[in-house]
Amino acid sequence: MKILAVGLNYESHNHEMKRTFQSSEPVIFMKPESSQLKDGKPFFIPDFSNEIHYETEMVIKIDRLGKNIAEEFAHRYYSEITVGIDFTARDLQRNLKEKGLPWEIAKGFDNSAALGNFVSKQEFANIQDINFHLDINSETVQQGNTRDMIYSVDKIIAYVSQFFTLKIGDLIFTGTPAGVGPVKIDDHLEGYIENKKLMDFHIR
């Protein structure tokens, strides 16, 4: 399986990060299978970074094989969603970007893709109008709604399927809104879609 992720997909986060770059197509990066963190297992802050940030996102799971999928049919290729965290070694990413180098190691390191429990998308009336949020130590630190995506879920699927054959079990992180920030040892993270808690783990 593979993990695809979308960058720059919420204007609020782009402003937050002081980005002026504008893309006419989704910005895609990948995380390896070894980046998965699930089942409530703790996230251990790695030795190579002093600035690990959370980025809360809605995640979809592909459940049909597909290539060159038309946007109008993209909704047929996933039936489950969850909340996820794209952990980012912000200090590494910043340093690599300043040098004009690829920054995969800042995004794709082990356990950097935290996943909640998946639920049926049928529980929600509109995939493009879903609230999600992250609490740290019982305080809401980040929240968003999928209606604010620059590129919709179906548009993302249609776009990435031009380049990558989507397979059963593949995951797509759909982008993060404003509110990203650092984590520290002993933080307790809880992720929600609407009022349903799907993620619950600690930082070690």
Side-chain angles (χ1 to χ4, degrees):
M1 60 84 66
K2 56 186 172 290
I3 300 172
L4 299 161
V6 185
L8 313 178
N9 203 26
Y10 285 81
E11 288 289 359
S12 62
H13 179 56
N14 295 341
H15 291 312
E16 173 182 57
M17 301 302 289
K18 298 180 174 59
R19 293 192 181 104
T20 57
F21 172 76
Q22 298 290 325
S23 176
S24 59
E25 296 174 326
V27 175
I28 305 299
F29 61 95
M30 299 182 73
K31 287 174 172 272
E33 186 174 356
S34 58
S35 68
Q36 290 182 94
L37 179 70
K38 51 189 179 180
D39 302 324
K41 294 179 180 177
F43 174 82
F44 290 88
I45 293 178
D47 293 336
F48 54 74
S49 176
N50 295 312
E51 193 180 354
I52 297 292
H53 280 199
Y54 59 81
E55 298 188 12
T56 313
E57 318 195 4
M58 187 181 77
V59 181
I60 66 167
K61 182 190 293 183
I62 299 298
D63 59 9
R64 290 181 62 183
L65 183 70
K67 174 72 175 174
N68 292 320
I69 300 165
E71 184 178 344
E72 63 191 287
F73 300 125
H75 66 278
R76 300 178 181 177
Y77 287 81
Y78 64 100
S79 58
E80 293 183 308
I81 65 172
T82 192
V83 63
I85 296 177
D86 168 24
F87 280 117
T88 303
R90 193 70 72 199
D91 47 356
L92 290 186
Q93 185 187 43
R94 187 184 306 114
N95 183 49
L96 290 164
K97 282 185 173 181
E98 288 173 354
K99 295 177 180 178
L101 297 173
W103 38 264
E104 277 82 357
I105 61 172
K107 287 280 193 179
F109 56 90
D110 287 353
N111 300 321
S112 63
L115 296 163
N117 298 319
F118 281 87
V119 294
S120 172
K121 70 178 183 181
Q122 299 301 326
E123 294 186 24
F124 310 96
N126 182 359
I127 199 74
Q128 292 302 151
D129 188 12
I130 293 177
N131 293 298
F132 59 95
H133 72 273
L134 175 69
D135 289 357
I136 297 183
N137 304 325
S138 300
E139 178 182 351
T140 299
V141 295
Q142 189 177 20
Q143 53 192 333
N145 187 293
T146 56
R147 66 171 169 262
D148 297 322
M149 288 180 176
I150 298 171
Y151 298 104
S152 69
V153 172
D154 291 350
K155 188 176 291 293
I156 292 166
I157 289 173
Y159 179 75
V160 299
S161 70
Q162 297 176 68
F163 310 100
F164 309 105
T165 297
L166 295 179
K167 296 185 176 183
I168 296 171
D170 286 351
L171 304 175
I172 300 178
F173 279 65
T174 58
T176 194
V180 304
V183 293
K184 63 184 187 303
I185 292 174
D186 292 332
D187 278 347
H188 179 202
L189 277 61
E190 298 169 289
Y192 294 78
I193 287 184
E194 297 295 349
N195 62 353
K196 185 183 291 289
K197 183 165 71 171
L198 301 177
M199 173 186 289
D200 189 334
F201 68 103
H202 291 79
I203 306 296
R204 300 299 188 206

